[in-house]
Amino acid sequence: MFCCCTKNLYARLSIEGRWIASQHMATASKPSFKKKQPKYPTGDFGLDKNERRTLRKRLLEDKEDTMKMHVFRKLYPWQSKRDLAVHLKGSEVYNDDGLIALCKPYGISQVSDHPRTKEGSLTIVQTLASGGVPDHVPSIESTIPILKDLYNVDHLEVIKSTERWSSGLILLSTDPGVTEKVRKCFRSSQTLQKPHMTYWAVTCGMPKPVTVARRVPIGLEYVPNTGQVPVIKKEYTKSDIKKGKTKLAVVEHVTRVFNRALDMSLVEVNVHLTKNHFLRVWLAYSYSPILGDHLYGGRVKTMKGKKLLVNVQNLTSYAPQPLPDDTFSKLNLPDKAVEMIPCHLHLSKLRLFRFAKDNSDLVITAPPPDHFMWTCRQLGLMATDEETEQDVVEESS
């Protein structure tokens, strides 16, 4: 579900988003592949060798059906609620004493299948992110009755889930007592301001600073004709904290891998809250917006080789994310086809403080989805046998 602070923003930009996307697609030129792409083993993250060769040929020939084979077009293969429920059960990473952890796919909402604005138009995210979600894709909530049958339980409820436009862990409970115990762990994390969520993100650029651990003030700022939008506050008072106008979010980010040639990074981020899209806003504020972030990716522009932050009062900060042509080439996409790229954000770890019977922490992890791993490999953000200009960034002491 989308946070209320951006509701007006979505409504205003829904039509503009579709127009901007169409303009970018209309002006897209044929991609130029100057460097030979590295070879990958058959069946590598959704595209085997023959599929990749055919895809590249169609890209060069500029055929209309080019994108139908792309891994980003295979994000929603489920044709029914049962198909998604079976997939969710198959993604199980933890199941003990009434607590179940599954991996939520990208683009699947927790409650509403098709979130829309009051006017009934598609939101800008729905318009731009991966070309939109097909009508037949169900929500997590709609699969609960089927999951109850698959697990043979009388009670099943969602305790925690990552947001729709990210992938990652989702916690379910078969016992109300377990639900309350997990929520107590989360409340303790909030009170103690200890990060209990670990995300992986592919970012455009290296965060500045490369590694950081601090408390960050986040609040809302009014933009005329748009509404309240989330921003990182430069100044705040104790009164702002007391009144709830500003929240202090504890964040720790570490740049794990940086591809200097493409200016792309793999970043690990630990946070204790995600309200108001804090993590996405923070990474944009750090000069490294998440790849495929169609809400906040436009807050960073490059001028004469230098990255600049765009004020939220400037409407260009809501334009589609600017990406270099080399990025589209590496991702086997036509130039300017930014609307096809999903937001590369994955909730990989949850820590439940003192949840175990021996009063120790319970840590649950989930691997990134295939499309996330495929992108990392394409952009040289994984350890491979091929030679890539990448830096493994060591964590500072």
Side-chain angles (χ1 to χ4, degrees):
M1 294 295 293
F2 301 100
C3 63
C4 59
C5 63
T6 54
K7 191 173 182 181
N8 293 331
L9 170 62
Y10 295 152
R12 182 177 182 277
L13 293 180
S14 59
I15 298 177
E16 294 181 14
R18 289 195 296 270
W19 180 85
I20 292 171
S22 64
Q23 293 300 305
H24 276 258
M25 288 300 294
T27 58
S29 59
K30 297 180 181 179
S32 175
F33 298 96
K34 296 181 180 180
K35 297 182 179 180
K36 185 178 180 180
Q37 297 291 315
K39 295 180 180 180
Y40 298 96
T42 300
D44 179 39
F45 302 113
L47 288 179
D48 62 26
K49 189 180 300 182
N50 292 331
E51 285 179 323
R52 183 174 290 104
R53 186 183 300 113
T54 302
L55 176 58
R56 286 175 56 79
K57 181 179 178 181
R58 290 186 177 185
L59 280 172
L60 293 172
E61 293 176 356
D62 199 24
K63 290 189 176 182
E64 293 182 0
D65 60 347
T66 294
M67 295 297 97
K68 292 182 180 180
M69 297 177 61
H70 200 282
V71 65
F72 292 162
R73 289 300 194 202
K74 298 181 179 181
L75 300 179
Y76 315 106
W78 313 284
Q79 298 298 317
S80 66
K81 297 176 183 178
R82 183 169 184 81
D83 287 344
L84 178 57
V86 171
H87 170 85
L88 288 170
K89 189 175 187 302
S91 72
E92 179 185 292
V93 292
Y94 183 87
N95 186 354
D96 190 34
D97 290 337
L99 180 62
I100 301 173
L102 310 176
C103 295
K104 186 192 79 67
Y106 172 85
I108 304 299
S109 65
Q110 181 178 336
V111 181
S112 175
D113 286 347
H114 303 290
R116 294 171 179 265
T117 62
K118 287 184 177 180
E119 292 77 8
S121 60
L122 293 172
T123 68
I124 186 171
V125 178
Q126 185 82 10
T127 300
L128 294 179
S130 302
V133 179
D135 292 339
H136 65 265
V137 176
S139 65
I140 297 295
E141 183 183 55
S142 66
T143 66
I144 293 298
I146 303 173
L147 284 171
K148 287 170 64 177
D149 291 338
L150 293 176
Y151 278 105
N152 193 26
V153 294
D154 296 327
H155 177 84
L156 190 65
E157 62 178 314
V158 176
I159 310 174
K160 171 73 176 179
S161 176
T162 185
E163 66 162 330
R164 179 172 193 171
W165 305 109
S166 62
S167 60
L169 285 167
I170 175 172
L171 298 184
L172 298 95
S173 167
T174 62
D175 182 350
V178 173
T179 300
E180 179 55 33
K181 185 177 180 180
V182 172
R183 288 175 176 167
K184 183 179 179 180
C185 291
F186 289 151
R187 288 195 296 268
S188 297
S189 172
Q190 297 285 348
T191 302
L192 299 174
Q193 293 192 332
K194 289 185 176 181
H196 63 279
M197 294 175 283
T198 299
Y199 282 83
W200 286 93
V202 176
T203 65
C204 302
M206 181 187 289
K208 297 180 181 179
V210 175
T211 300
V212 71
R214 57 179 289 196
R215 293 197 302 172
V216 178
I218 184 171
L220 302 177
E221 180 175 329
Y222 178 75
V223 178
N225 301 318
T226 298
Q228 303 281 359
V229 298
V231 296
I232 303 300
K233 294 281 191 177
K234 294 183 178 180
E235 297 180 355
Y236 66 96
T237 64
K238 292 183 178 180
S239 177
D240 292 335
I241 300 292
K242 187 175 181 179
K243 294 178 180 179
K245 294 181 179 180
T246 301
K247 289 186 176 296
L248 292 178
V250 177
V251 60
E252 303 169 355
H253 77 234
V254 180
T255 306
R256 293 302 184 186
V257 183
F258 175 58
N259 187 324
R260 191 179 303 276
L262 295 176
D263 192 30
M264 303 295 293
S265 298
L266 179 62
V267 181
E268 177 184 324
V269 190
N270 297 304
V271 292
H272 86 292
L273 66 82
T274 56
K275 187 177 181 180
N276 294 335
H277 292 164
F278 167 73
L279 194 151
R280 295 161 67 178
V281 174
W282 168 249
L283 286 174
Y285 180 80
S286 302
Y287 299 90
S288 57
I290 299 173
L291 176 66
D293 187 348
H294 305 296
L295 280 179
Y296 309 108
R299 292 189 179 187
V300 179
K301 308 293 185 186
T302 302
M303 296 184 64
K304 297 182 179 180
K306 184 177 181 180
K307 291 191 176 182
L308 302 173
L309 293 180
V310 182
N311 193 291
V312 295
Q313 300 293 336
N314 188 327
L315 291 182
T316 62
S317 66
Y318 307 106
Q321 185 177 47
L323 294 173
D325 293 341
D326 285 350
T327 301
F328 293 109
S329 176
K330 288 291 185 181
L331 294 178
N332 289 339
L333 293 173
D335 294 347
K336 313 305 179 186
V338 69
E339 82 288 347
M340 277 195 61
I341 305 175
C343 185
H344 283 66
L345 181 64
H346 175 74
L347 176 57
S348 64
K349 184 189 301 182
L350 280 172
R351 180 182 296 274
L352 302 181
F353 292 103
R354 299 181 179 180
F355 181 85
K357 293 180 180 179
D358 61 356
N359 212 30
S360 62
D361 297 346
L362 173 63
V363 178
I364 304 174
T365 61
D370 287 351
H371 77 272
F372 189 103
M373 299 295 287
W374 180 84
T375 296
C376 289
R377 193 175 286 272
Q378 292 293 100
L379 298 180
L381 299 177
M382 293 181 62
T384 62
D385 294 333
E386 294 79 15
E387 292 184 359
T388 56
E389 186 181 357
Q390 72 175 24
D391 299 327
V392 177
V393 183
E394 298 293 341
E395 184 174 359
S396 62
S397 57

